[in-house]
């Protein structure tokens, strides 16, 4: 049986690769995509999600638009690090405009109704700011217990990418993030920068994707090469000519849990620190008062991850 999932995203280049992996992997069934303000404004996230699904022949997968701003803070402060364009994400992905349309229902309504009606397990995979998910929790008191597993791309212990101490998705809507991490999920898995920075995709890998000649191979190579150029210029990784494809690691984990290595720890989100707002505070040494609530990934298996992308995207569309 294929594993069902819903992706909540801010597409964005790596979100697009996550969508393609979820839509095309034979062991997964992508039930729906919801969008949220993040890497680019939410209407562009929606357009980009439709674009990538159409491009790979999966325009049948529904896309619902979500919140266009954080739930509490009314601004969307852009610090110096991302004010100058890094070129890592595009308002419009470099593939043709979509012919499919977004669904009329709001993302939060769709998520609440889908989980309420579900007779089979559907994993929830948020890979953008957590505004939609916090809204679901606020609106439906039973939402949390209906989700069998939530796999979040966000946070960091040894890294920061938007400030010295915070990762973008968690930082972008810290109040939402704090409520989501504290919600008491059946199973919460967090895939932070610590793991995604170990699962780099290189120019050698993207050359193989291009050579496949499939829509997914061509699109993923194009998006990942754009990321590599952006990282090399603005935020170099240990290895030049390679970049993380954060969001896709969450999807890969659903197929093969051994792609990440986790520690079960308590994780909370800082909402008020002048220097630390949006930081995921991981109780690595059991110093706090709270029991573990999160399987936090400190490592990822690069080879397994890249091989999964290559095998999945090589398959010719039916
Ligand atoms: C996260 O932020 C976005 O830029 C990426 O799509 C990813 O979800 C990494 O910090
Ligand atoms: Ca994202």
């Amino acid at each position: 049986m294929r594993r069902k999932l819903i992706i909540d995203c801010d597409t964005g280049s790596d979100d697009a690769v996550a969508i393609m992996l979820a839509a095309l992997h034979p062991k997964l069934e992508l039930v729906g995509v919801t969008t949220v303000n993040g890497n680019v404004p939410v209407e562009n996230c929606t357009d980009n999600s439709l674009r990538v699904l159409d491009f790979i022949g999966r325009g049948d997968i529904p896309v619902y638009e979500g919140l266009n701003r954080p739930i509490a803070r009314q601004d969307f402060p852009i610090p110096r690090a991302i004010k100058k364009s890094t070129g890592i994400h595009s308002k419009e992905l470099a593939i043709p405009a979509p012919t499919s349309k977004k669904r009329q229902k709001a993302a939060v309504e769709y998520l609440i109704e889908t989980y309420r009606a579900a007779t089979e397990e559907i994993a929830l995979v948020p890979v953008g700011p957590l505004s939609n998910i916090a809204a679901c929790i606020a609106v439906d008191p039973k939402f949390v217990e209906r989700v069998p597993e939530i796999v979040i791309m966000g946070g960091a212990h040894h890294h920061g990418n938007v400030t010295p101490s915070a990762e973008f998705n968690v930082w972008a809507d810290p109040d939402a993030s704090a409520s989501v991490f504290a919600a008491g999920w059946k199973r919460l898995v967090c895939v932070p920068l610590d793991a995604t920075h170990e699962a780099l995709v290189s120019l050698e890998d993207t050359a193989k994707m291009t050579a496949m000649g499939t829509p997914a191979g061509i699109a993923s190579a194009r998006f990942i090469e754009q990321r590599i150029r952006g990282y090399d210029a603005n935020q170099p990784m240990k290895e030049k000519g390679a970049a993380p494809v954060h969001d896709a690691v969450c999807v890969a984990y659903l197929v093969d849990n051994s792609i990440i290595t986790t520690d079960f720890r308590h994780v909370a989100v800082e909402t008020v620190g002048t220097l630390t707002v949006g930081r995921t505070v991981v109780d690595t040494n059991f110093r706090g008062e709270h029991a573990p609530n999160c399987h936090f990934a400190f490592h990822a298996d690069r080879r397994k991850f890249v091989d999964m992308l290559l095998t999945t995207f090589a398959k010719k569309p039916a």
Side-chain angles (χ1 to χ4, degrees):
M1 207 174 68
R2 292 190 300 157
R3 191 144 190 217
K4 292 181 192 279
L5 73 153
I6 293 175
I7 296 186
D8 181 65
C9 55
D10 57 336
T11 322
S13 54
D14 58 328
D15 307 72
V17 179
I19 289 174
M20 289 190 278
L21 183 59
L24 297 175
H25 197 285
K27 290 194 173 158
L28 297 176
E29 181 182 338
L30 181 57
V31 175
V33 171
T34 53
T35 62
V36 66
N37 180 57
N39 288 318
V40 293
V42 72
E43 55 276 13
N44 296 102
C45 299
T46 305
D47 179 273
N48 280 339
S49 303
L50 291 164
R51 219 171 251 248
V52 76
L53 286 167
D54 277 352
F55 192 70
I56 59 168
R58 294 304 316 269
D60 56 303
I61 296 172
V63 176
Y64 299 85
E65 192 163 286
L67 297 194
N68 63 0
R69 61 175 187 219
I71 53 163
R73 88 200 208 185
Q74 294 302 307
D75 58 340
F76 190 68
I78 307 293
R80 191 177 51 83
I82 56 171
K83 243 183 205 151
K84 58 173 186 167
S85 168
T86 59
I88 289 171
H89 294 286
S90 312
K91 268 193 166 179
E92 287 184 358
L93 289 173
I95 50 176
T99 50
S100 300
K101 304 267 177 261
K102 69 176 178 185
R103 304 298 165 109
Q104 282 315 306
K105 198 173 279 184
V108 171
E109 206 182 341
Y110 164 73
L111 287 166
I112 289 176
E113 284 177 4
T114 303
Y115 279 98
R116 188 176 289 149
T119 52
E120 287 174 56
E121 295 204 334
I122 308 173
L124 179 57
V125 184
V127 294
L130 290 160
S131 320
N132 287 339
I133 312 305
C136 289
I137 296 172
V139 171
D140 179 359
K142 288 204 182 310
F143 184 76
V144 170
E145 68 191 60
R146 292 187 174 122
V147 175
E149 179 166 19
I150 179 167
V151 185
I152 294 174
M153 191 285 127
H157 187 62
H158 292 112
H159 300 262
N161 63 358
V162 68
T163 71
S165 63
E167 179 280 332
F168 175 78
N169 288 342
V170 171
W171 166 92
D173 193 345
D175 308 276
S177 305
S179 85
V180 170
F181 274 84
W185 305 94
K186 283 183 180 148
R187 183 173 163 86
L188 163 61
V189 177
C190 180
V191 180
L193 298 179
D194 306 76
T196 64
H197 283 201
E198 289 187 355
L200 302 182
V201 182
S202 70
L203 288 171
E204 201 180 311
D205 302 321
T206 61
K208 289 182 192 157
M209 291 173 183
T210 306
M212 290 167 187
T214 58
I218 291 166
S220 51
R222 205 172 281 172
F223 304 155
I224 296 169
E225 283 168 7
Q226 176 188 346
R227 296 181 61 76
I228 293 172
R229 284 193 295 274
Y231 273 92
D232 278 355
N234 297 289
Q235 195 191 331
M237 294 284 108
K238 279 189 189 139
E239 175 185 323
K240 226 174 147 38
V245 186
H246 314 280
D247 298 347
V249 179
C250 292
V251 176
Y253 153 81
L254 284 179
V255 177
D256 177 356
N257 289 1
S258 74
I259 290 226
I260 55 172
T261 310
T262 59
D263 285 341
F264 192 40
R265 294 291 184 276
H266 186 264
V267 179
V269 174
E270 177 62 274
T271 56
V272 291
T274 316
L275 299 174
T276 53
V277 66
R279 177 166 181 77
T280 40
V281 179
V282 187
D283 188 1
T284 48
N285 293 319
F286 302 99
R287 296 297 89 193
E289 289 164 5
H290 301 289
N293 61 350
C294 177
H295 299 270
F296 193 87
F298 280 98
H299 299 288
D301 187 322
R302 177 179 184 176
R303 204 57 261 160
K304 280 188 187 170
F305 172 61
V306 173
D307 284 349
M308 190 186 292
L309 295 179
L310 293 175
T311 323
T312 310
F313 296 159
K315 209 165 159 276
K316 300 261 179 292

